[in-house]
Amino acid sequence: MYDVAIIGGGPAGMTAGLYAKRAGLSAIIFEGDAFGGQIVNSHMVDNYPGLPHISGFDLADRFFKQMAEFDIEVVRRRVISLELTGKEKIIKTKKDEYRAKNVILATGAAPRKLGIPGEEKYTGMGISYCATCDGAFYKDKVAAVVGGGNTALDDAIYLANFAKKVYLIHRREKFRGNPSTLEKIKKNEKIEIIAPNEVTALCGEDFLTGIILKDERSLKTDGLFIAIGNEPRNELFKDTVALTEDGYILVDERMKTNLDGVYAAGDVVNKKLRQVITAQNDGAVALSGIMEEL
C-alpha cells in the first residue's frame, strides 16, 4: 500500500513524485510512454526560468534525473484501469495490480492533430502546438496558424510580435473566437487571413519549408502552429471523476477532485494556462493537499 500513486510522468507527475519523496511518503509513478510529457517534442524551450536555450528532451531528462535521485518507484507500463471510489485506490497494468491511499491524476492532454501526412515528422521541426512556447524562435520569419477559436486568434497576434509575416488559416469563413480579437487581427498589417481554406499538405525535408492549401495554393512558411484544440487524456477516469464539458478535471484550490483521496495536476486539469511551470506548480500543490489529509 503506497501513500500516493501518480498516474503520468510529465512535469506535473514528476514534481509530485519529487515532493512526495522529500516529504517521506511512499510513492509510485506510472508512465507508459516517455517521461516528460508533451515537452519532449519541443525542439527548444526558452521560457523556463534558469534554464534558457534547452531542448524539451533535455529539460525533461533533467526533471527525471532529479526525481530519480530520491529513488521513487517507477512503473514503465500503461495503466489499463483505475478504481478510485473506495478508500483504497487500485491501479492495474497488464501485468500487476497496485494499491494506494491517494492518487494524483497527471495524465496530461494531447493537442488535436490535423491528421495530414508528415505532421508527425515535422513536429518540433517546424510544426508546433504551442505559440507561447515556440513563438520567439520565429523572429523575422514567416509563420502560419491553423484554427478559428480564441487560441488561434491569440496565437496569430502573439506571433506577429516576432514574425515578419503570419498567415491565419481557418476552414470556415466565420471565426469562433472573440470578435474584438478578430478586429485587432484585421488591423494588423503582418497578419493575413486565409479563410475558408485548409492545409492539405506539408513541404520540406528535415524542416518544414511550406504548406499547400485546399485551393492548391503553396505558401512558404518557416513554422506552422496548429491551434485546433486539445484533448485531455481522461479515458481511465472519465466515468468517475467530475469533468468539464470539454473533458478536463474539475479541482479545488488544493487540486482535489470530487473524490476523496483523488487529486489532479497538469494539462488534464481545467485551467487557463498550460505550461511546464504551471504543471509543476499543480504537482506541488496536489502533494501538499495530500499531506494535509494524512
Side-chain angles (χ1 to χ4, degrees), residues 174-286:
K174 187 176 181 180
F175 285 81
R176 303 185 314 276
N178 193 306
S180 63
T181 307
L182 184 59
E183 285 304 310
K184 291 180 182 178
I185 286 175
K186 290 177 179 179
K187 294 176 181 178
N188 193 314
E189 295 180 353
K190 285 187 176 183
I191 304 174
E192 178 181 344
I193 296 175
I194 301 177
N197 220 316
E198 297 179 44
V199 178
T200 58
L202 306 170
C203 307
E205 293 187 10
D206 294 332
F207 289 86
L208 182 76
T209 58
I211 57 178
I212 297 175
L213 303 179
K214 188 176 182 179
D215 63 6
E216 299 185 353
R217 268 189 290 172
S218 296
L219 298 178
K220 290 184 178 180
T221 181
D222 302 291
L224 177 63
F225 291 81
I226 300 172
I228 56 176
N230 288 299
E231 298 175 327
R233 291 175 170 164
N234 61 16
E235 296 82 8
L236 290 170
F237 46 80
K238 63 183 180 180
D239 295 325
T240 53
V241 175
L243 307 174
T244 67
E245 290 184 2
D246 295 328
Y248 292 94
I249 302 175
L250 291 166
V251 294
D252 63 15
E253 69 277 1
R254 296 183 301 161
M255 309 309 294
K256 187 176 181 179
T257 72
N258 62 306
L259 300 178
D260 287 339
V262 180
Y263 296 74
D267 285 0
V268 74
V269 170
N270 181 43
K271 58 182 181 177
K272 290 185 177 180
L273 184 63
R274 292 182 172 88
Q275 296 278 283
V276 172
I277 200 164
T278 61
Q280 291 177 306
N281 175 75
D282 293 347
V285 173

Side-chain angles (χ1 to χ4, degrees), residues 9-139:
M14 287 192 285
T15 300
L18 175 64
Y19 272 66
K21 294 301 288 186
R22 282 181 56 84
L25 302 183
S26 58
I28 185 169
I29 184 168
F30 297 83
E31 176 54 68
D33 297 316
F35 273 81
Q38 295 184 68
I39 194 64
V40 299
N41 296 319
S42 293
H43 180 64
M44 190 66 64
V45 178
D46 210 19
N47 62 351
Y48 189 82
L51 293 173
H53 317 303
I54 186 170
S55 72
F57 178 86
D58 288 340
L59 184 61
D61 187 56
R62 289 198 182 198
F63 295 160
F64 182 79
K65 287 178 178 176
Q66 183 175 358
M67 182 191 71
E69 290 179 5
F70 288 85
D71 295 322
I72 183 171
E73 187 174 346
V74 170
V75 176
R76 292 181 176 270
R77 287 189 294 275
R78 289 183 183 275
V79 174
I80 60 172
S81 71
L82 291 170
E83 295 180 24
L84 302 174
T85 55
K87 190 171 183 180
E88 291 186 1
K89 317 304 178 185
I90 302 174
I91 304 99
K92 295 180 181 179
T93 68
K94 284 186 177 180
K95 188 177 179 180
D96 297 299
E97 180 177 294
Y98 304 82
R99 294 175 183 268
K101 299 175 185 176
N102 300 277
V103 166
I104 297 177
L105 302 170
T107 49
R112 192 171 287 118
K113 307 293 180 69
L114 285 177
I116 59 177
E119 185 171 358
E120 193 165 325
K121 171 185 175 181
Y122 293 116
T123 298
M125 299 296 174
I127 287 182
S128 173
Y129 300 89
C130 180
T132 55
C133 302
D134 300 326
F137 299 115
Y138 291 86
K139 183 175 175 61

